[in-house]
Amino acid sequence: MAVTEKGTDEYVDLNLYDDIDNIVISNPAHLFLQEIELAVKIGINEIWGMTDYIDLRRYLFSQYITLTRIQNDISTYISSHCAHSAQFDWSVEVEIFKDDVTGKELLHIRCTVNDVQNDGEVKKYVQKFAIL
């Protein structure tokens, strides 16, 4: 949601977690992390009218898809669908792990967002996902 204040666009969104003190997010890095999380977690037909999604589960059942292809697909989706992607230096890393208990393969996704602070220092945010 864009809110115009004093001639500038500032984005705010509802916090998806049970943090009563912070029900609205306005920090651009936090907004971007929430956009990434939604992009990764939204599945087929979970949102009415949404026709474009990543659908990560399809990769686990295909032996012909490379990790590079998965990483590129995720990066392309984030670049084109996350409003804050152009504001930050960010990266996506993808690995396949075998669960020791079940023996099933897991897709492990690691997204790193570098947020340059006003003093020039870089604050690094890392978000990880495991897809069964």
Side-chain angles (χ1 to χ4, degrees):
M1 160 189 326
V3 177
T4 303
E5 188 174 307
K6 296 181 185 174
T8 62
D9 285 341
E10 180 181 326
Y11 289 88
V12 296
D13 199 359
L14 295 177
N15 191 343
L16 297 179
Y17 301 101
D18 295 333
D19 187 355
I20 291 181
D21 295 331
N22 297 311
I23 61 169
V24 175
I25 301 173
S26 61
N27 179 312
H30 295 173
L31 287 166
F32 184 39
L33 290 167
Q34 186 160 291
E35 289 174 334
I36 292 172
E37 182 173 359
L38 289 172
V40 169
K41 290 184 174 181
I42 291 172
I44 301 170
N45 298 324
E46 285 187 359
I47 297 180
W48 184 77
M50 184 174 171
T51 58
D52 198 14
Y53 43 82
I54 300 176
D55 187 20
L56 295 172
R57 293 185 190 272
R58 70 179 173 190
Y59 297 126
L60 294 177
F61 302 108
S62 177
Q63 61 186 347
Y64 304 109
I65 301 288
T66 65
L67 289 176
T68 303
R69 165 85 187 274
I70 297 170
Q71 183 173 324
N72 288 341
D73 286 354
I74 294 169
S75 294
T76 299
Y77 187 90
I78 290 171
S79 292
S80 60
H81 291 84
C82 295
H84 292 84
S85 65
Q87 294 180 14
F88 298 97
D89 177 36
W90 56 276
S91 64
V92 175
E93 298 171 31
V94 178
E95 298 175 284
I96 299 283
F97 286 107
K98 193 165 214 167
D99 184 358
D100 294 336
V101 176
T102 63
K104 293 182 180 180
E105 288 186 339
L106 302 172
L107 179 62
H108 181 258
I109 303 164
R110 178 185 161 123
C111 298
T112 304
V113 176
N114 298 311
D115 183 16
V116 179
Q117 305 296 301
N118 291 335
D119 60 2
E121 195 170 323
V122 177
K123 188 170 186 177
K124 184 179 284 195
Y125 296 94
V126 177
Q127 197 166 33
K128 300 175 185 177
F129 305 96
I131 309 295
L132 303 172

